C-alpha cells in the first residue's frame, strides 16, 4: 500500500519529525511511505494513497484522492474533516482519542488552581512591581478545589481524566454526556444529559468544556449559559474554540457575570492580537498546548502503527469515528 503521512503546521511543535516517518518505514517495509510537509506536496502525492496519516484532509485532498480507504488522525478532534462529502464516502476515519487525556486532565487542574488563586492577576502585578495583596485577596478570595463543585461538559476520555483529578482533590464532580444510560464512575456525583445543563450550571464553581466539536455543539456555551453560571464560577475550555461564543464570553468576563476563564482553544487560531481576551485580568490563555505530551509523537505513531497492523490483518480498528455523530 501507499501510505501518505501529512502532518504539518506553521507551528513547529505540530509537525511530525521525519525520524518518525523513517521508523514507520522500518516497521512496515512492505508498504511505501510518502511524507508531505506542505500543502502542495500533499496534493501532489495524495492521488493513489491507500491510507493517510493526517491532521486534516480537506475537500481538495478528498477530490484528489482516488484510492483512499482509511484516514488516521493524530488528534482526537476530527470535526474539520466531517464535511458532507467525507461523511458520505466509504472512507474510514480513526482518531487518537484518549492519547492526550491525562495531560489535558492535568492541564484542567493546573489552570483551575491558577484561576482560584488568581495567578493571572498576580503575574500581571508582578510585572508592574505592584504588591497587590488586597486586590488578590478580595472576594471571592483565594479558593480551593476541595469543597468546590465542578461540571464537566463532555464526559469522554478527556472529561473523565479531568473529572477524576478534580474529584481526587476534593471537588464534587458532575458531568454532561449525551449517553446517560451507562453509569458513571463511583466518584461522579451526577450524570446529566445536554438538556439538563442549564439546571446544573448555577451549581458549578468550575465548568470544564471537554466535548467534541460537532454541528450540535458549536456555540454550545453562549450568553444564556454564561448568564446561568455563578458569579464565582470559572470556565475552562480544552476542547475546541467553536463550542464557546467568544463575544458573549468577553462580555461575561468584563461584566463580572463569571469570575474567570482559562482558554486553550479559540474560535480562530492563532488568537488575533487584537482580541480583548488578551488583556482581561481574569483570563488565562494557553496557545492550544494542553494536549501536547513530552512523548507526543511516540504515542501518536504507536497508535497509528497498531491500527496499521490491524488494517493489514483485516481486524477491527481502534478509535473508529462515527462520522454521523461527529466523534
Amino acid at each position: 500500500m501507499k501510505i501518505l503521512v501529512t502532518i504539518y503546521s506553521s507551528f513547529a511543535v505540530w509537525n511530525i519529525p521525519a525520524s518518525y516517518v523513517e521508523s514507520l518505514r522500518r516497521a512496515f517495509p512492505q508498504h511505501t511511505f510518502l511524507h508531505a510537509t506542505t500543502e502542495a506536496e500533499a496534493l501532489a502525492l495524495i492521488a493513489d494513497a491507500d491510507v493517510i496519516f493526517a491532521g486534516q484532509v480537506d475537500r481538495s485532498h478528498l477530490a484528489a484522492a482516488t484510492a483512499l480507504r482509511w484516514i488516521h488522525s493524530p488528534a482526537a478532534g476530527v470535526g474539520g474533516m466531517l464535511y458532507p462529502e467525507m461523511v458520505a464516502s466509504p472512507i474510514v476515519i480513526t482518531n487518537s482519542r484518549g492519547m492526550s487525556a491525562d495531560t489535558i486532565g492535568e492541564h484542567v487542574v493546573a489552570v483551575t488552581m491558577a484561576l482560584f488563586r488568581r495567578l493571572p492577576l498576580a503575574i500581571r502585578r508582578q510585572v508592574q512591581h505592584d504588591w497587590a495583596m488586597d486586590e488578590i485577596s478580595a472576594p471571592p478570595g483565594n479558593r480551593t478545589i476541595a469543597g468546590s463543585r465542578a461540571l464537566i461538559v463532555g464526559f469522554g476520555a478527556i472529561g473523565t481524566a479531568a473529572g477524576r483529578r478534580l474529584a481526587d482533590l476534593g471537588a464534587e464532580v458532575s458531568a454532561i454526556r449525551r449517553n446517560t444510560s451507562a453509569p458513571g464512575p463511583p466518584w461522579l456525583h451526577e450524570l446529566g444529559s445536554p438538556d439538563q445543563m442549564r439546571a446544573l450550571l448555577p451549581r458549578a464553581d468550575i465548568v470544564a468544556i471537554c466535548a467534541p466539536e460537532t454541528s450540535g455543539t458549536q456555540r454550545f456555551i453562549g450568553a444564556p449559559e454564561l448568564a446561568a453560571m455563578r458569579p464565582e464560577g470559572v470556565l475552562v475550555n480544552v476542547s475546541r474554540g467553536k463550542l464557546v461564543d467568544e463575544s458573549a464570553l468577553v462580555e461575561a468576563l468584563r461584566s463580572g457575570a463569571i469570575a474567570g476563564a482559562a482558554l486553550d482553544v479559540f474560535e480562530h487560531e492563532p488568537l488575533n492580537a487584537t482580541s480583548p481576551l488578551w488583556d482581561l485580568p481574569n483570563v488565562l490563555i494557553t496557545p492550544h498546548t494542553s494536549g501536547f505530551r513530552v512523548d507526543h509523537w511516540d504515542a501518536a505513531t504507536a497508535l497509528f502503527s497498531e491500527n496499521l497492523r490491524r488494517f493489514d490483518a483485516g481486524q477491527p480498528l481502534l478509535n473508529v469515528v462515527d462520522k454521523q455523530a461527529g466523534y
Side-chain angles (χ1 to χ4, degrees), residues 16-234:
I16 187 170
S19 60
Y20 287 89
V21 181
E22 287 301 321
S23 71
L24 288 169
R25 290 189 175 113
R26 291 192 297 271
F28 299 93
Q30 70 273 34
H31 299 313
T32 299
F33 284 86
L34 308 171
H35 184 196
T37 59
T38 67
E39 182 73 6
E41 287 180 1
L43 285 170
L45 296 172
I46 203 169
D48 56 350
D50 300 280
V51 175
I52 300 178
F53 184 17
Q56 176 62 25
V57 177
D58 63 24
R59 284 180 168 90
S60 64
H61 297 137
L62 182 63
T66 59
L68 186 58
R69 293 183 282 158
W70 166 41
I71 299 166
H72 181 80
S73 170
V78 294
M81 292 193 205
L82 298 179
Y83 42 88
E85 298 92 330
M86 181 67 80
V87 172
S89 79
I91 297 166
V92 175
I93 299 177
T94 56
N95 67 5
S96 297
R97 65 177 176 264
M99 187 185 86
S100 295
D102 285 337
T103 184
I104 297 177
E106 289 194 10
H107 183 90
V108 169
V109 171
V111 296
T112 300
M113 284 183 170
L115 290 174
F116 272 21
R117 308 298 294 186
R118 294 188 168 177
L119 296 187
L121 177 60
I123 291 168
R124 288 173 186 269
R125 297 299 178 257
Q126 177 182 342
V127 170
Q128 298 164 352
H129 298 192
D130 182 358
W131 188 260
M133 180 186 290
D134 289 340
E135 185 180 15
I136 291 169
S137 302
N142 288 328
R143 294 182 282 166
T144 62
I145 289 176
S148 67
R149 292 178 174 178
L151 177 63
I152 309 295
V153 181
F155 203 55
I158 291 170
T160 300
R164 176 169 54 82
R165 285 165 170 79
L166 291 168
D168 286 346
L169 289 168
E172 178 188 283
V173 180
S174 299
I176 297 289
R177 186 172 68 189
R178 232 175 46 149
N179 176 16
T180 57
S181 58
W187 48 261
L188 188 68
H189 175 72
E190 184 175 1
L191 180 63
S193 60
D195 60 5
Q196 295 175 283
M197 188 168 70
R198 283 290 176 86
L200 292 172
L201 282 170
R203 293 160 43 187
D205 302 288
I206 307 156
V207 178
I209 311 301
C210 305
E213 180 189 339
T214 69
S215 59
T217 61
Q218 290 185 2
R219 299 209 165 187
F220 197 54
I221 303 295
E225 289 74 27
L226 293 164
M229 287 178 60
R230 303 182 64 200
E232 302 85 1
V234 299

Side-chain angles (χ1 to χ4, degrees), residues 287-302:
H288 205 147
T289 52
S290 67
F292 196 83
R293 307 165 36 164
V294 171
D295 62 343
H296 186 85
W297 294 115
D298 294 296
T301 305

Side-chain angles (χ1 to χ4, degrees), residues 203-272:
R203 293 160 43 187
D205 302 288
I206 307 156
V207 178
I209 311 301
C210 305
E213 180 189 339
T214 69
S215 59
T217 61
Q218 290 185 2
R219 299 209 165 187
F220 197 54
I221 303 295
E225 289 74 27
L226 293 164
M229 287 178 60
R230 303 182 64 200
E232 302 85 1
V234 299
L235 180 75
V236 179
N237 190 4
V238 290
S239 174
R240 287 292 183 264
K242 289 184 172 59
L243 272 69
V244 177
D245 182 337
E246 270 182 25
S247 296
L249 177 59
V250 168
E251 180 56 32
L253 290 162
R254 280 176 169 165
S255 68
I258 66 173
L263 308 172
D264 189 57
V265 290
F266 303 88
E267 287 191 57
H268 303 286
E269 296 182 5
L271 182 63
N272 194 296

